[in-house]
Amino acid sequence: TVAILSDSLSVVAKKMPKILDFENKRSFFKQELRKQQERHFMPLSLRIRRNDIFLGSYSQLMNKNAEEIKGKLDIQFIGEEGVDAGGLTREWYLLLSRSIFNQDYALFKESANVGTYQPSPQSYVNPDHLRYFKFVGRIIGKALHDGYQLDAFFTRSMYKHMIGQSLSIHDMEDIDPEYYKNLKWILNNDPTPLDITFSYETDDFGKLKNVELIPDGHNIQAVSYTHLTLPTIYSVQISVVAVSLKKK
């Protein structure tokens, strides 16, 4: 009976995920994880310096394949005594998740909703940024697989990208409430007198940069009726970085 229910839940979760509530989805996810954990994987030993936890972990994990990275972690902080009975692994996850948002790596920026993060449009200044993003994704997956929590909170639009959901204008509220308010105003009013175009300006390391929402957007004015498409197009732009990551 349990097997039949398990198989039925699996079919529903894969074919009709929207009809399941969160608790059922979580139960199915944990069930799938248990199947993985029943398999034997070689231990994964990492020797890490506390003052170099991001790059040290990156250099040791990025050359591992999918099977190797599933192994049970054995963390050793260089220069410290101690056997990892779970506490050092937990501490490693905590410290690493915090270092992910270190502004020196320029990978993520904090949203106006303080405490949540999204990919930074300026991450390109780091030549290895796409590899680093892939590493962050591996760490998130590894934490889920191992059952550890990360001190990391992303914006709603970021989570929607992770599960393949489309974005809408309402996702802007989580990123920048003021922008969201202005876009809502554009939807409900005629912006012709404001001389708004299908482009916007953004701060790119102290320099104003014009970003076009559509080809030649800076020359196309948002007038009555046509302005209704502006917020929709802009809502797509709020996660251009996240979309580009899928190419790797």
Side-chain angles (χ1 to χ4, degrees), residues 16-42:
M16 298 175 287
K18 291 185 178 180
I19 71 172
L20 292 177
D21 61 24
F22 177 75
E23 287 303 320
N24 282 327
K25 290 179 181 178
R26 182 164 63 176
S27 295
F28 172 71
F29 179 71
K30 289 184 175 180
Q31 171 186 296
E32 293 298 301
L33 282 182
R34 281 194 292 271
K35 292 179 182 178
Q36 286 283 328
Q37 292 162 356
E38 289 173 358
R39 298 172 57 192
H40 176 72
F41 299 100
M42 293 296 293

Side-chain angles (χ1 to χ4, degrees), residues 44-46 48 73-77 82-84 88-89 92:
L44 184 58
S45 299
L46 301 180
I48 304 294
L73 281 169
D74 178 25
I75 302 296
Q76 176 70 52
F77 288 108
V83 177
D84 189 3
L88 293 179
T89 293
W92 175 79

Side-chain angles (χ1 to χ4, degrees), residues 169-170 179-189 231:
I169 179 179
H170 303 296
Y179 262 125
Y180 175 70
K181 179 181 177 181
N182 292 338
L183 291 176
K184 290 265 292 185
W185 186 91
I186 292 173
L187 276 177
N188 298 318
N189 298 273

Side-chain angles (χ1 to χ4, degrees), residues 7 39 52 58 68 72 90 99 231:
D7 291 342
R39 298 172 57 192
D52 191 33
Y58 169 83
E68 291 174 325
K72 178 178 171 53
R90 186 177 299 105
S99 71

Side-chain angles (χ1 to χ4, degrees), residues 2-20:
V2 175
I4 294 175
L5 290 174
S6 176
D7 291 342
S8 299
L9 184 59
S10 175
V11 172
V12 173
K14 294 175 180 177
K15 301 295 184 180
M16 298 175 287
K18 291 185 178 180
I19 71 172
L20 292 177

Side-chain angles (χ1 to χ4, degrees), residues 14-238:
K14 294 175 180 177
K15 301 295 184 180
M16 298 175 287
K18 291 185 178 180
I19 71 172
L20 292 177
D21 61 24
F22 177 75
E23 287 303 320
N24 282 327
K25 290 179 181 178
R26 182 164 63 176
S27 295
F28 172 71
F29 179 71
K30 289 184 175 180
Q31 171 186 296
E32 293 298 301
L33 282 182
R34 281 194 292 271
K35 292 179 182 178
Q36 286 283 328
Q37 292 162 356
E38 289 173 358
R39 298 172 57 192
H40 176 72
F41 299 100
M42 293 296 293
L44 184 58
S45 299
L46 301 180
R47 290 175 53 81
I48 304 294
R49 297 185 187 278
R50 284 184 181 272
N51 62 355
D52 191 33
I53 192 167
F54 183 88
L55 293 179
S57 300
Y58 169 83
S59 64
Q60 294 181 60
L61 288 176
M62 281 304 287
N63 63 346
K64 305 293 184 184
N65 60 39
E67 293 299 299
E68 291 174 325
I69 208 169
K70 292 176 183 177
K72 178 178 171 53
L73 281 169
D74 178 25
I75 302 296
Q76 176 70 52
F77 288 108
I78 296 175
E80 301 180 20
E81 295 183 0
V83 177
D84 189 3
L88 293 179
T89 293
R90 186 177 299 105
E91 185 179 9
W92 175 79
Y93 271 118
L94 178 64
L95 296 176
L96 180 58
S97 61
R98 290 175 178 172
S99 71
I100 284 171
F101 301 117
N102 187 325
Q103 294 303 300
D104 291 342
Y105 301 121
L107 297 178
F108 295 92
K109 59 180 291 188
E110 192 171 20
S111 69
N113 180 12
V114 179
T116 61
Y117 292 83
Q118 64 176 9
S120 170
Q122 283 84 36
S123 67
Y124 66 87
V125 300
N126 190 323
D128 293 320
H129 68 138
L130 293 180
R131 290 275 295 171
Y132 286 162
F133 277 124
K134 184 175 181 178
F135 170 64
V136 172
R138 281 191 160 200
I139 294 302
I140 294 173
K142 176 67 173 165
L144 289 171
H145 180 271
D146 293 352
Y148 285 91
Q149 292 187 343
L150 297 177
D151 189 15
F153 303 92
F154 297 106
T155 56
R156 179 172 56 196
S157 59
M158 182 67 178
Y159 287 123
K160 290 176 75 171
H161 263 299
M162 288 181 178
I163 60 177
Q165 286 190 3
S166 300
L167 302 180
S168 74
I169 179 179
H170 303 296
D171 295 311
M172 176 55 69
E173 185 176 19
D174 186 40
I175 298 172
D176 192 323
E178 190 62 28
Y179 262 125
Y180 175 70
K181 179 181 177 181
N182 292 338
L183 291 176
K184 290 265 292 185
W185 186 91
I186 292 173
L187 276 177
N188 298 318
N189 298 273
D190 180 4
T192 304
L194 300 179
D195 195 28
I196 297 175
T197 64
F198 280 79
S199 65
Y200 67 97
E201 288 187 337
T202 184
D203 187 328
D204 190 23
F205 296 105
K207 295 182 179 180
L208 287 180
K209 178 181 179 181
N210 187 273
V211 179
E212 295 189 336
L213 298 173
I214 58 176
D216 200 34
H218 69 285
N219 288 322
I220 302 175
Q221 187 176 12
V223 296
S224 183
Y225 298 109
T226 62
H227 76 280
L228 295 176
T229 62
L230 180 58
T232 301
I233 296 174
Y234 194 88
S235 69
V236 174
Q237 293 295 317
I238 64 178

